[in-house]
Each structure stands twice: as C-alpha cells, then as structure tokens.
Amino acid sequence: FSLREATWDDSTFDYSLENFAPDADSEVMLEILGDAKKIQPDLALMATPWSPPAWLKVLGKIDGVNEENRLINTTAAYRVYAEYLVKAAEVVEQRGLALAYMSLQNEPYTPPGGGAIYPGMRMEPAEQVQLGALVRERLPRSIKLLAWDHNWDHTEFPLEVLKDSAAGTFAGVAWHCYSGTMEQAYQTLQHAYPNLETHMTEC
C-alpha cells in the first residue's frame, strides 16, 4: 500500500509512456521486496494492478467511483495499458525482482454498486480477454498470467475468460476468499480446466 494515490505514469495523455517510472512509494516497496528476496530467494512475486492511470479511464479518476469508470474502450487505450503493464514487469525485473505471475485487475467486480474511494476498476470478462491477449503477446513467457483475481462466488467470470481466450493466454486463476466457498470454486475450475493453476492471492 502507498501513502498517496499514484500510478507509474500520471502525466496526462502520455500515450508514448515517456514519463513512465515508479512513484516514490513504489520505490520504497521495491527496495523492501529486494530485502525480502535476499532473505528468501525462492519467494515468488506477483504483480496485480489496482487501477490504470486516471487518463486511461472513462471518468478520469484513479478511484473506482462506479462501474462506468473503467478502461476507455479504444484500441489505443488498451494498447498503451498493455504496454504500461509490461513496462512495470520490466522495471521489477531490472531491480532483480523477476515476476512469476501477473493478473490484470485486482477485484474486477469491485465496486459492485459504486462508491469506492480507493483505486480500483470494474472489468468485465470480455475486457479481460481483450487486455489479456495484448499483455500476453508482449509479456515474457516466464511470467504467467492469472485470470479473475477476486472472490470464489463468481466462477462464471474466469470460466468465460478462459473460454474466450486463446490457449496459453492464462496459466490459471487467482482467487480471494471474502465471499463464496473455496470447495465449489476450485472444483468448478478443476472440472473445466484440470491442467490450469489455482492460486489464493488475497485473504
């Protein structure tokens, strides 16, 4: 977590990402992760964005606000956000902190009715499919993409994403534990996609 809301490119309409760089709080977190890796070299790292830069969202706000405040539905916006996520992975790699996993949106079904006063973004399955394809073609294969990254009670979301994505785009599904049941979610996924990974990423 950070002391202030920021992304790694808060220069408005920077579609070339010329001003892309970790913010001050992220620099501290990267340093702490480096210390952790020294203590536990086998530590697996995962990146999960909470929000794109505000200038890539419909309402121009980092906070979730409501279900309308999602990624702008243009080819340019999707392309630059995919490049943004890949550049973030590259920065982490340059600091000696190679990522093992990445998801595309923390809790994509939050806020369900609006009102979030923290960074977040609604993302529907079709949007995750579209963004996932762009990220996967740019991201090193050593970094695995995970679909969903939210609660057990919406198994239909990852199932739709996996069904509509090209084989190999997603390596598995990330779950949170705040609603639904683990047994039902895991059994549903395993039945449909027995060879994909399942990870608890927040609880």
Side-chain angles (χ1 to χ4, degrees):
F1 294 94
S2 301
L3 297 177
R4 64 186 184 91
E5 293 185 355
T7 72
W8 287 15
D9 194 339
D10 289 325
S11 299
T12 305
F13 305 128
D14 184 18
Y15 276 79
S16 63
L17 298 178
E18 291 182 0
N19 298 299
F20 181 94
D23 64 283
D25 287 344
S26 294
E27 289 286 6
V28 174
M29 287 186 280
L30 289 169
E31 184 177 346
I32 292 171
L33 284 173
D35 292 339
K37 284 286 281 186
K38 291 175 184 177
I39 297 170
Q40 178 51 270
D42 294 332
L43 183 67
L45 299 180
M46 176 179 172
T48 300
W50 281 48
S51 175
W55 50 271
L56 281 173
K57 299 174 73 175
V58 171
L59 299 182
K61 298 180 183 295
I62 293 177
D63 287 350
V65 183
N66 60 38
E67 295 180 11
E68 297 177 7
N69 194 28
R70 57 186 69 192
L71 191 62
I72 296 170
N73 188 23
T74 64
T75 299
Y78 272 83
R79 176 191 55 77
V80 74
Y81 190 42
E83 293 172 353
Y84 172 99
L85 295 175
V86 172
K87 284 177 73 71
E90 291 172 350
V91 168
V92 174
E93 174 82 29
Q94 291 164 3
R95 306 297 175 86
L97 299 168
L99 294 176
Y101 297 95
M102 176 184 285
S103 68
L104 299 176
Q105 178 58 46
N106 177 67
E107 301 193 341
Y109 270 3
T110 298
I117 55 172
Y118 55 86
M121 184 175 72
R122 179 80 173 192
M123 179 178 281
E124 298 294 340
E127 294 168 316
Q128 193 159 109
V129 169
Q130 182 177 352
L131 183 61
L134 294 170
V135 172
R136 181 69 280 167
E137 69 182 22
R138 293 164 168 79
L139 196 68
R141 281 286 166 181
S142 58
I143 304 174
K144 298 179 180 180
L145 280 184
L146 298 178
W148 187 219
D149 213 0
H150 207 167
N151 291 324
W152 294 319
D153 59 348
H154 282 288
T155 55
E156 78 285 351
F157 186 111
L159 289 176
E160 183 175 340
V161 170
L162 295 170
K163 174 179 66 70
D164 293 341
S165 297
T169 302
F170 292 94
V173 176
W175 301 97
H176 295 184
C177 71
Y178 306 116
S179 61
T181 61
M182 179 172 65
E183 182 179 11
Q184 184 270 336
Y186 288 8
Q187 286 182 352
T188 299
L189 180 68
Q190 186 178 41
H191 177 75
Y193 296 95
N195 296 321
L196 293 187
E197 300 180 24
T198 296
H199 295 276
M200 173 65 68
T201 54
E202 183 180 321
C203 191

